[in-house]
Amino acid sequence: DTQVLEVCREGYLMLPSIVSDDVNARTIEFMANAESHEPSEIILEDWFREGVLLAPEAAGAVRALLGAGFGLPVLMSSHRADCPMEAQGWHQDSDSKFGPELNYLQVFYYPQDTPEDMGPTEVLPRSHIAKTSRDIDWTGGVSTASPAGTVFITAYPILHRRAEATGTGLRHLLKY
């Protein structure tokens, strides 16, 4: 109950290293051949569905936050970044509904180590409760830099962005 209230107040939950190394490697291999920024066919792979979407920690957190009737995603988005890159602007995803109710979530998955220099997502705690302007120079963002296999969950309307990436290489991030 305490963790649920914390997510409702802050707008996010980090679940470090909950996906196995094998599933992380298979995900990166799958993404190397994905041509679309919406590789939703990965959802149909049993190893991905069981290892990521239904990982006990992730599915348990979603169930605790949304209730037993939650549904599995039908759309997967790839936020692959070819680093280095400038920081993205703060934004909420379209169709955001604002208020204290927690009815919609975004779930992010890092299949690889994602340190600060690879431009991890930043979230702005408590920005999901009331409609806000993305034009303000926001401060106080929290980095989601994490080891491989990390899943983090946010309230759907939370302000978020890709942080500046000073490293080189591909940063993989899947979101549903």
Side-chain angles (χ1 to χ4, degrees):
D1 289 347
T2 302
Q3 284 182 306
V4 168
L5 291 173
E6 177 85 6
V7 173
C8 290
R9 185 182 74 227
E10 298 299 316
Y12 71 98
L13 172 68
M14 298 293 297
L15 302 169
S17 301
I18 65 165
V19 177
S20 73
D21 291 341
D22 177 58
V23 171
N24 292 331
R26 290 180 81 173
T27 300
I28 291 171
E29 181 181 337
F30 186 96
M31 295 308 298
N33 298 313
E35 296 180 16
S36 170
H37 70 282
E38 291 182 343
S40 297
E41 62 276 6
I42 198 169
I43 296 168
L44 302 176
E45 299 289 335
D46 289 338
W47 58 267
F48 186 84
R49 195 172 44 258
E50 295 300 320
V52 179
L53 304 179
L54 296 175
E57 298 89 341
V62 170
R63 185 179 307 107
L65 293 166
L66 295 182
F70 76 92
L72 292 178
V74 296
L75 178 70
M76 183 67 60
S77 295
S78 171
H79 290 270
R80 178 172 43 202
D82 191 2
C83 303
M85 294 185 87
E86 292 182 11
Q88 187 180 39
W90 288 105
H91 65 279
Q92 291 133 334
D93 288 350
S94 62
D95 297 330
S96 290
K97 294 181 171 85
F98 305 92
E101 303 88 14
L102 185 63
N103 296 315
Y104 305 96
L105 299 173
Q106 294 183 103
V107 182
F108 299 78
Y109 160 53
Y110 287 130
Q112 69 190 82
D113 289 338
T114 307
E116 294 294 342
D117 70 341
M118 293 303 286
T121 298
E122 292 179 327
V123 296
L124 193 61
R126 302 181 184 187
S127 64
H128 62 293
I129 296 172
K131 192 169 184 175
T132 56
S133 172
R134 65 176 75 179
D135 299 326
I136 296 172
D137 185 20
W138 293 102
T139 58
V142 174
S143 173
T144 63
S146 306
T150 294
V151 170
F152 63 99
I153 299 169
T154 71
Y156 194 83
I158 199 167
L159 279 167
H160 61 283
R161 69 177 181 175
R162 182 192 61 248
E164 179 182 17
T166 58
T168 58
L170 288 178
R171 182 216 61 185
H172 292 282
L173 170 65
L174 293 174
K175 181 177 84 172
Y176 56 96

